[in-house]
Amino acid sequence: MTKPVILTGVRANNELTLGNYFGAIKPIVEMAKERADEYQVNMFIPDLHSFTTPIDHSVLQQQIVQNARLFVAAGLPLDNDNILLYRQSYVPAHSELTWILDCFTGVGEMGRMIEYKDKSAKIGDDRVSVGLFNYPILMAADILLYDAEYVPVGDDQRQHLEYTRHIAERMNSQFGDIFTAPLPVEKQQEFFGKGQALRIMDLQSPSKKMSKSDDTGKGVVFLTDDPTVAAKKVMSATTDDKASVNYDPAEQPGISNLLQILALLRAEPLDQVELEFKGQSSYGDFKRVIADEVAAFLTEFQANLEAVDDNKLLAVFDRSETIANEQANATLLRVQQAVGLRPKAD
């Protein structure tokens, strides 16, 4: 690897939402286009991560490809050699390095992970998989195989990134410099910026984030929704009885969420959008503006999605996975030699 590496990925299962688009897909695509001249950008489909919690395995393969297609529809260039787009499971070193890291990781370390505690509490002890428990170790392997220093992470991944740094330092201390540790969270934020502070919430329950795993889908705008259906969801969004459009997440969470959505769709500052509608008393008229904007966005996005050349996409997978395997295998061999699984080079 001659360029420093940026690494990022989004889970393949579940339909992705408008929130996923503005919170992950669009920022990742923009980052890749802006940084690819100076960095190698590894964008991978974390298909092994996809079934740490129960899913429908009969559609996973379709979802893996669809995941990549969504990024292309959002503007990811397929002709830039510095951008690698690959499927995690097509690089076997991810799994093998995970096992090695397992054996140098304490059960207590993984048991303290907040995301594991939260998800396992929802699933129930009798259905929690070892894969969910082990997930941060696979994530560490994803990063360490490519000497990736730059990894954009949300608040729910902070612990996992810090574990990655700790296991790299632990292994380096015992075996020599075999890993490049990613930068700490604060440095990651300096590098990527903290990003857009706006976050899309559920239309029916604006106190919680719009989630791709929502069972009803009534408050969620999916990227594959019929634009007319999505517009109806917006028109049915929960508001309040104040009859005045203001950005006030505490007192008017539904209205504030709709203002956030409009600001993101228009790529305008929130205060500018709020000023346009501030004090307006007709919620129906206000919601119609957002509904029309959402429908127009989905119409354009879905046209871009339909235009994705799947043959070209698969060719990019093949090229990227060849390069990813070469790089990952070189790191894996270095680790195998260090721990005694392979003879050291003379």
Side-chain angles (χ1 to χ4, degrees), residues 21 69-75 297-309:
Y21 178 83
R69 295 177 80 247
L70 291 170
F71 281 94
V72 178
F297 166 79
L298 289 178
T299 298
E300 181 180 359
F301 181 80
Q302 290 170 10
N304 293 339
L305 190 62
E306 185 67 26
V308 174
D309 185 335

Side-chain angles (χ1 to χ4, degrees), residues 207-225:
S207 61
K208 68 178 185 179
K209 186 173 69 172
M210 186 178 286
S211 172
K212 61 185 179 180
S213 58
D214 180 84
D215 292 330
T216 68
K218 292 181 180 179
V220 181
V221 175
F222 294 101
L223 294 177
T224 54
D225 273 348

Side-chain angles (χ1 to χ4, degrees), residues 196-299:
Q196 174 60 271
L198 304 182
R199 186 169 67 161
I200 294 182
M201 312 302 282
D202 188 282
L203 295 174
Q204 293 294 315
S205 303
S207 61
K208 68 178 185 179
K209 186 173 69 172
M210 186 178 286
S211 172
K212 61 185 179 180
S213 58
D214 180 84
D215 292 330
T216 68
K218 292 181 180 179
V220 181
V221 175
F222 294 101
L223 294 177
T224 54
D225 273 348
D226 181 285
T228 303
V229 171
K232 289 179 180 178
K233 290 181 180 180
V234 173
M235 294 302 296
S236 300
T238 297
T239 53
D240 53 58
D241 59 0
K242 298 183 183 302
S244 181
V245 175
N246 299 286
Y247 182 74
D248 186 344
E251 296 295 326
Q252 294 185 268
I255 292 297
S256 299
N257 187 41
L258 292 172
L259 285 168
Q260 290 174 339
I261 291 172
L262 188 58
L264 288 166
L265 288 168
R266 290 180 172 180
E268 293 178 356
L270 176 58
D271 55 359
Q272 180 178 323
V273 173
E274 181 190 14
L275 185 61
E276 179 182 344
F277 295 95
K278 191 169 182 61
Q280 183 171 319
S281 60
S282 174
Y283 285 172
D285 292 343
F286 170 63
K287 289 200 283 188
R288 172 52 60 192
V289 173
I290 292 96
D292 289 345
E293 294 263 6
V294 167
F297 166 79
L298 289 178
T299 298

